[in-house]
Amino acid sequence: MFAAESATIGEPAINISIFGAFVVVTLFITFRASRNNKSAADYYAAGRNITGTQNGLAIAGDYLSAASFLGIAGAIAIYGYDGFLYSIGFLVAWLVALLLVAELMRNTARFTMADVLAFRMRQGPVRTAAAISTLFVSLFYLLAQMAGAGGLVALLLGVSGAAAEAIVVVVVGALMIFYVLVGGMRGTTYVQMIKATLLIAGALVMTVWVLAEYGFSLSALLGGAVASEGGQVLEPGAQYGVSGATRLDFISLALALVLGTAGLPHVLMRFYTVPTAKDARKSVVWAIWLIGAFYLFSLVIGYGAGALVGSETILAAPGGVNAAAPLLAFELGGTVLLGVIAGVAFATILAVVAGLTITASASFAHDVYASVLKKGQVDPNAEVRVARITAVVIGAVSIGLGILALQAGINIAFLVALAFAVAASANLPTILYTLFWKNFTTQGALWSIYGGLIVCIGLIIFSPVVSGSETAMFSNFDIAWFPLRNPGLVSIPLSFFLGWLGTKISKEKPDIDKYAELEVRSLTGIGAEKAVAH
């Protein structure tokens, strides 16, 4: 078994060769895909010719991030029942996306979330607000992925120390920027499809292997976890249940996870890559099945790591709780399985960060540069060029923040939960009001987006996540006065309220005719963007 004091597991040469093989294959695919990028629709939306099944696989690849694979497996290994609650929240959230936004968004937008929000509002202020919120959500999400990449690769290549881990994050960030600059959405989609296939197959292999160790008996596996970790891993309360504050924290986390997915810009943008609303709906159904199966695998992997590796060994390893799945792979299949699973995890991170980066850069280029600054009078090639410049800037910022998060050792599943809280606070209320409330006004939209964003980020800054605790990003000072680690319980209802209040006290009259047009288009698809280059 892996010794706690060791700095690495497996053979770094084998691990890096598997990483390298994946990078070479995906770079080749990205170059091939880039040949078809002849217009803005090609770069942003892959020409709208991705099928529902392909898009479902790509959504799974986009959604099953390092948090899903590394963070949740670690949380289940350490906390048992409470760790699995992340999986439940991430999966149930897709029902909100399926029932409320997928089809309607596909019918009403061209490239970004702001296309829907600005349809019946004043273009400039609403597009700017939506772009700012998209950038913040993407940066929070990128922060988690970068931290995961640094911890994983540091563990597998045997590098230690802040400087070495920082170099790893820089290399991952540079690769991510390259994918986006060259391949656009089409290249990113193909990388995500390959990654989803590899990830689900890898998780299936580990699941079957763990169950085989216990005679294919789930109860025997759970018994092994109890023998290793104690009975608390099968009971609620190991992570959320010590006090009233932690129980409120759990409710806040659950609210953020369930409502966050339908407001994630990089998930919403995937709906624009398919030809029709029917394909958008089909892609979500495929995604639900694939993601659901994966989270069942993660339950076995998490408890398997707790039983076969042990929480002390996991927490002592570089990367801490996020090292559970790689350590279990090494315990089961030695160097080879570890190398394969590590390669899959690395692929996971690259695919997700590429999707996030193209979404954030498209939002700035399409919503701020083309629609607000240039008033729609812009050459598509110039717009794509601005998107590429933005991708470089976003990549650089996320590299810096990722290094900070990595050195703080925060669970990446938790960091992603913060991104979900920002998305649910800043984006979802405005999307739902725009689609379903005919009296909604521009002022209501701005109050909802900016209010939700400012309150959510402000509460995170003054929470135990940032300061005041041993596990905080900055543990050497204390400005934490907000008791909850996830602000969703306060920020999400407040954003809905601010959207309502801003509309009610607004002197501006709602555009009822535009709402009627939006309603017809969203429900029928009449006037929706077709699957041709624009």
Side-chain angles (χ1 to χ4, degrees):
M1 184 179 288
F2 166 67
E5 64 273 8
S6 172
T8 185
I9 52 176
E11 292 291 334
I14 292 178
N15 297 337
I16 202 166
S17 63
I18 293 174
F19 286 169
F22 176 80
V23 170
V24 169
V25 170
T26 50
L27 286 177
F28 173 73
I29 291 166
T30 304
F31 271 118
R32 288 292 299 269
S34 68
R35 295 180 183 178
N36 297 316
N37 286 341
K38 298 180 175 66
S39 68
D42 287 327
Y43 185 79
Y44 293 143
R48 302 189 208 281
N49 59 8
I50 304 295
T51 68
T53 305
Q54 288 175 329
N55 198 45
L57 192 58
I59 287 175
D62 213 351
Y63 194 71
L64 294 175
S65 64
S68 298
F69 188 44
L70 303 176
I72 290 176
I76 294 170
I78 305 300
Y79 301 112
Y81 182 95
D82 281 16
F84 189 55
L85 294 171
Y86 279 104
S87 300
I88 302 296
F90 283 140
L91 182 60
V92 170
W94 277 103
L95 295 177
V96 179
L98 174 65
L99 298 174
L100 293 180
V101 302
E103 186 175 348
L104 306 181
M105 294 290 278
R106 169 61 191 87
N107 282 339
T108 49
R110 285 192 70 193
F111 300 133
T112 65
M113 173 184 76
D115 288 336
V116 178
L117 304 186
F119 191 88
R120 47 187 281 240
M121 312 290 177
R122 294 200 310 276
Q123 294 273 324
V126 171
R127 283 190 181 277
T128 304
I132 290 170
S133 109
T134 295
L135 289 171
F136 271 101
V137 173
S138 299
L139 278 174
F140 265 97
Y141 222 118
L142 281 166
L143 181 71
Q145 305 309 315
M146 291 299 196
L152 175 75
V153 181
L155 172 71
L156 298 165
L157 301 188
V159 298
S160 58
E165 291 177 349
I167 291 169
V168 168
V169 173
V170 170
V171 171
V172 171
L175 272 172
M176 158 194 90
I177 293 166
F178 187 80
Y179 283 128
V180 174
L181 293 184
V182 175
M185 180 58 89
R186 196 188 305 274
T188 301
T189 298
Y190 291 145
V191 172
Q192 286 166 345
M193 287 163 59
I194 293 168
K195 165 251 159 157
T197 305
L198 290 174
L199 181 61
I200 293 169
L204 175 60
V205 168
M206 287 183 70
T207 299
V208 172
W209 204 320
V210 167
L211 289 175
E213 293 280 320
Y214 291 92
F216 292 98
S217 168
L218 186 59
S219 60
L221 167 62
L222 297 178
V226 169
S228 175
E229 302 298 315
Q232 75 275 4
V233 294
L234 298 185
E235 300 169 2
Q239 186 175 13
Y240 299 104
V242 179
S243 66
T246 55
R247 292 184 181 183
L248 276 178
D249 222 344
F250 166 64
I251 295 170
S252 190
L253 171 71
L255 199 61
L257 295 182
V258 170
L259 297 180
T261 297
L264 287 174
H266 69 291
V267 170
L268 296 175
M269 196 167 172
R270 290 237 54 93
F271 299 140
Y272 312 140
T273 64
V274 293
T276 65
K278 182 181 178 183
D279 284 305
R281 204 165 54 244
K282 182 180 179 182
S283 62
V284 175
V285 172
W286 268 99
I288 288 173
W289 280 105
L290 293 167
I291 293 165
F294 176 83
Y295 283 141
L296 289 176
F297 297 156
S298 74
L299 181 66
V300 175
I301 293 168
Y303 275 118
L308 295 171
V309 180
S311 59
E312 287 186 12
T313 304
I314 293 167
L315 292 173
V321 67
N322 304 316
L327 289 172
L328 176 62
F330 186 62
E331 180 71 22
L332 292 171
T335 303
V336 174
L337 182 62
L338 169 70
V340 171
I341 294 303
V344 168
F346 190 62
T348 294
I349 291 165
L350 280 177
V352 173
V353 295
L356 285 162
T357 307
I358 194 168
T359 300
S361 61
S363 181
F364 178 82
H366 180 66
D367 297 324
V368 178
Y369 174 75
S371 301
V372 177
L373 299 179
K374 295 293 186 180
K375 310 293 184 189
Q377 304 301 311
V378 64
D379 176 49
N381 292 330
E383 186 180 328
V384 171
R385 188 165 58 250
V386 170
R388 287 181 165 136
I389 294 169
T390 310
V392 174
V393 174
I394 290 164
V397 172
S398 64
I399 287 168
L401 293 174
I403 291 169
L404 272 178
L406 174 63
Q407 292 171 359
I410 300 172
N411 184 319
I412 50 181
F414 179 75
L415 283 172
V416 166
L418 293 182
F420 274 64
V422 177
S425 304
N427 296 342
L428 185 65
T430 317
I431 290 170
L432 295 182
Y433 279 146
T434 300
L435 291 171
F436 299 111
W437 187 19
K438 67 180 179 182
N439 293 324
F440 196 45
T441 64
T442 300
Q443 180 171 301
L446 296 177
W447 281 34
S448 180
I449 294 173
Y450 285 128
L453 188 64
I454 292 167
V455 169
C456 189
I457 302 267
L459 293 180
I460 289 171
I461 290 170
F462 294 107
S463 77
V465 176
V466 172
S467 69
S469 69
E470 289 182 8
T471 57
M473 289 184 79
F474 304 99
S475 55
N476 53 350
F477 67 94
D478 185 359
I479 55 169
W481 53 262
F482 182 67
L484 303 182
R485 291 169 62 81
N486 191 298
L489 188 63
V490 175
S491 59
I492 297 169
L494 187 63
S495 180
F496 275 104
F497 172 74
L498 288 172
W500 172 84
L501 182 65
T503 297
K504 285 297 182 184
I505 65 174
S506 171
K507 295 177 181 176
E508 164 191 11
K509 288 192 174 180
D511 193 333
I512 302 298
D513 291 338
K514 270 286 188 184
Y515 173 75
E517 185 183 341
L518 177 72
E519 187 176 38
V520 170
R521 177 184 284 200
S522 66
L523 294 175
T524 67
I526 294 172
E529 287 289 317
K530 298 296 187 292
V532 294
H534 289 272

